[in-house]
Amino acid sequence: MTKMMMQLKIVSATPVVAGCRMIKDAHELALMRLANHATLTVYEAVHKALQPGMTQNTVSDLIAQAYHRVGFPGDASVQVGEYTALPHGSIQPQTIREGTIIMVDDGCTVEGYQSDITRTFVLGKPTAKMSTVFGIVHEAQAAALAAAKPGVPLEAIDAAARKVIVDAGYGPGFKYFSHRLGHGIGMDGHEWPYLVKNNMFGWERALTLQRNMTFSDEPGIYIRGEFGVRLEDDMHITENGAELFTPQSESLEKPF
């Protein structure tokens, strides 16, 4: 038995498991569409209730209560002001003020399938710089959506969004857009494969998009000490292109 154990070769099963899960059927897509609709409904309702003086924890609690009302488990990370420039946020106490930027991120679960949406907005009037950065991120998200078609390498989708951001002066590379464009999503909020360069991990060659894959499409610009903007919607690869489950955010003043 010991000799047999010594001859065993342990390999990662991720390519097998991820390969089974990365293509969704019609029922799975319907559940994800519902999850995305629920999340956007919750965000919009809470947005209407926001007032200056609220803390990020107050807003998170409102979102949890709203998910309870719609009947699906969910929660959200809420960041305010300079903390929006940290892609993973902070637990430091934060208070909403008139004109400060706010970022809400996360989703809910519907029968085991996930949503993941980020909205960035301002109560009141944003600065010109905030609006300019929002416009760049909005354009980058749209560029990724336009580039996403069956047969296209996954890294090319990241590159399409990153080019918009770098060409606008927020580069090079990952300097201001400091994370991958997107992650697979389905039974887990983050699952294989990823929209980023060198996404191999067990596959012999770089993956290409296939019909009925699903991803987040979430470009961002993060200016440390000032603010950050991220827009995230979940994306479904169709027969000839791609579609978002939810409408793109219009502006910092009109996120829904």
Side-chain angles (χ1 to χ4, degrees), residues 88-106:
H88 297 291
S90 171
I91 62 172
Q92 290 296 316
Q94 302 165 42
T95 302
I96 294 172
R97 307 293 183 197
E98 189 82 12
T100 57
I101 202 161
I102 304 162
M103 183 184 292
V104 180
D105 176 30
D106 222 310

Side-chain angles (χ1 to χ4, degrees), residues 135-247:
I136 296 166
V137 174
H138 189 281
E139 183 182 349
Q141 189 188 44
L145 181 67
K149 297 176 175 63
V152 174
L154 271 61
E155 65 182 51
I157 314 308
D158 178 279
R162 200 166 301 278
K163 183 178 188 302
V164 171
I165 291 172
V166 171
D167 286 354
Y170 288 95
F174 286 74
K175 183 175 181 180
Y176 291 96
F177 177 15
S178 54
H179 53 75
R180 64 199 171 213
L181 172 74
H183 53 81
I185 185 169
M187 295 176 71
D188 288 324
H190 288 206
E191 63 182 36
W192 291 93
Y194 297 98
L195 300 177
V196 69
K197 190 175 182 179
N198 298 325
N199 179 56
M200 299 289 288
F201 198 82
W203 286 282
E204 294 181 358
R205 55 187 174 83
L207 291 173
T208 60
L209 292 178
Q210 299 177 51
R211 181 184 177 190
N212 293 338
M213 283 181 167
T214 49
F215 300 92
S216 67
D217 178 358
E218 51 176 311
I221 293 175
Y222 308 95
I223 307 170
R224 292 296 180 102
E226 295 188 44
F227 65 89
V229 172
R230 180 168 66 252
L231 297 178
E232 179 181 17
D233 294 277
D234 295 335
M235 177 170 65
H236 163 221
I237 307 305
T238 64
E239 185 174 357
N240 298 310
E243 64 174 10
L244 299 177
F245 287 121
T246 41

Side-chain angles (χ1 to χ4, degrees), residues 4-209:
M4 291 175 63
M5 292 289 289
M6 291 177 64
Q7 294 175 351
L8 288 177
K9 180 181 179 182
I10 299 175
V11 297
S12 171
T14 295
V16 176
V17 177
C20 292
R21 290 174 56 171
M22 68 174 63
I23 308 297
K24 275 67 177 181
D25 63 23
H27 179 62
E28 291 174 304
L29 291 170
L31 292 175
M32 293 181 67
R33 196 177 302 279
L34 177 56
N36 277 269
H37 175 72
T39 293
L40 205 62
T41 299
V42 164
Y43 282 7
E44 184 172 8
V46 171
H47 175 258
K48 292 176 180 177
L50 296 184
Q51 297 290 334
M54 287 182 173
T55 68
Q56 87 270 35
N57 292 331
T58 302
V59 180
S60 292
D61 289 343
L62 286 175
I63 290 171
Q65 293 172 34
Y67 274 128
H68 182 73
R69 290 285 298 271
V70 301
F72 302 120
D75 54 24
S77 165
V78 179
Q79 305 299 322
V80 180
E82 65 182 296
Y83 296 102
T84 60
L86 306 176
H88 297 291
S90 171
I91 62 172
Q92 290 296 316
Q94 302 165 42
T95 302
I96 294 172
R97 307 293 183 197
E98 189 82 12
T100 57
I101 202 161
I102 304 162
M103 183 184 292
V104 180
D105 176 30
D106 222 310
C108 69
T109 304
V110 175
E111 298 295 330
Y113 286 83
Q114 314 299 315
S115 61
D116 192 2
I117 296 175
T118 303
R119 287 293 179 266
T120 306
F121 50 86
V122 171
L123 294 187
K125 186 173 178 59
T127 66
K129 185 174 183 178
M130 289 176 182
S131 295
T132 296
V133 170
F134 180 95
I136 296 166
V137 174
H138 189 281
E139 183 182 349
Q141 189 188 44
L145 181 67
K149 297 176 175 63
V152 174
L154 271 61
E155 65 182 51
I157 314 308
D158 178 279
R162 200 166 301 278
K163 183 178 188 302
V164 171
I165 291 172
V166 171
D167 286 354
Y170 288 95
F174 286 74
K175 183 175 181 180
Y176 291 96
F177 177 15
S178 54
H179 53 75
R180 64 199 171 213
L181 172 74
H183 53 81
I185 185 169
M187 295 176 71
D188 288 324
H190 288 206
E191 63 182 36
W192 291 93
Y194 297 98
L195 300 177
V196 69
K197 190 175 182 179
N198 298 325
N199 179 56
M200 299 289 288
F201 198 82
W203 286 282
E204 294 181 358
R205 55 187 174 83
L207 291 173
T208 60
L209 292 178

